[in-house]
C-alpha cells in the first residue's frame, strides 16, 4: 500500500470512527483493503468494549475469504490494535496492517478511563512472537492529530 493509499484509507476509517461515536460506540473503525491497495472489501465500526472493530472485521473476513486472499490484504485501522485485535488479525491471516495513532498516544488521551483500560503491548511486539511476518505501517504522523481529535472529543465529554 502506498503512503497516499494509506492516508486515504485512514481518513475513511476515521470518518467511520466518528459515525461509531455518534451512535454511542467507542470511536474506533477498521477497513479490510484488497491487495491492490484501493479496493475496500469490508468496513467495521466499534461494537462494544469486547467486540472491537478490528477483531470483528478480522473474524468476519476469515469466514468470507480464503487465507491466501487475506494474506495479501491490509487491515487499516484508526488506532494501533490492542493485543486482542492484533492476535485476531494474526489468526485470520491478514498479512499487513496500517494504523494512524499509536496505542501509547491513545493512552495519553484516555488515561485510566474505565471503558478503555489500555494494554501496554505494541502490536509489533505481539506479531514478532508469531511465525508469520505481518507487515506493519504506523503510526502515520499525517493523520495522527485528526484521529486524536476524535478521541479527545469522545473520551473527555462531560
Amino acid at each position: 500500500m502506498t503512503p497516499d493509499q494509506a492516508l486515504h484509507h485512514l481518513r475513511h476509517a476515521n470518518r467511520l470512527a466518528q459515525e461509531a461515536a455518534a451512535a454511542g460506540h467507542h470511536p474506533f473503525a477498521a477497513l479490510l483493503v484488497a491487495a491492490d491497495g484501493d479496493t475496500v472489501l469490508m468496513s467495521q465500526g466499534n461494537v462494544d468494549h469486547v467486540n472491537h472493530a478490528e477483531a470483528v472485521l478480522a473474524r468476519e473476513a476469515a469466514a468470507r475469504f480464503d487465507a491466501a486472499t487475506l494474506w495479501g490484504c491490509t487491515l487499516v485501522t484508526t488506532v494501533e490494535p490492542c493485543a486482542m485485535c492484533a492476535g485476531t488479525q494474526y489468526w485470520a491471516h491478514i498479512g499487513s496492517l496500517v494504523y494512524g495513532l499509536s496505542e501509547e498516544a491513545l493512552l495519553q488521551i484516555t488515561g485510566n478511563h474505565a471503558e478503555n483500560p489500555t494494554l501496554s503491548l505494541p502490536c509489533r511486539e505481539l506479531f514478532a512472537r508469531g511465525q508469520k511476518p505481518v507487515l506493519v505501517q504506523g503510526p502515520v504522523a499525517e493523520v495522527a492529530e485528526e484521529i486524536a481529535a476524535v478521541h479527545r472529543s469522545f473520551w473527555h465529554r462531560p
Side-chain angles (χ1 to χ4, degrees), residues 30-48:
L31 307 172
L32 181 68
V33 179
D36 66 6
D38 287 320
T39 307
V40 176
L41 300 173
M42 298 174 65
S43 62
Q44 180 66 52
N46 214 59
V47 178
D48 59 36

Side-chain angles (χ1 to χ4, degrees), residues 55-119:
V56 170
L57 183 140
R59 284 191 299 273
E60 290 182 14
R64 287 179 52 184
F65 301 100
D66 63 77
T69 298
L70 289 173
W71 191 248
C73 290
T74 302
L75 191 152
V76 176
T77 185
T78 51
V79 178
E80 180 177 6
C82 70
M84 174 181 69
C85 293
T88 306
Q89 175 182 348
Y90 178 85
W91 288 109
H93 205 65
I94 300 169
S96 297
L97 169 68
V98 173
Y99 67 88
L101 187 70
S102 71
E103 192 170 34
E104 183 179 329
L106 177 65
L107 178 59
Q108 295 301 312
I109 295 168
T110 62
N112 65 350
H113 198 290
E115 293 181 32
N116 197 57
T118 303
L119 291 167

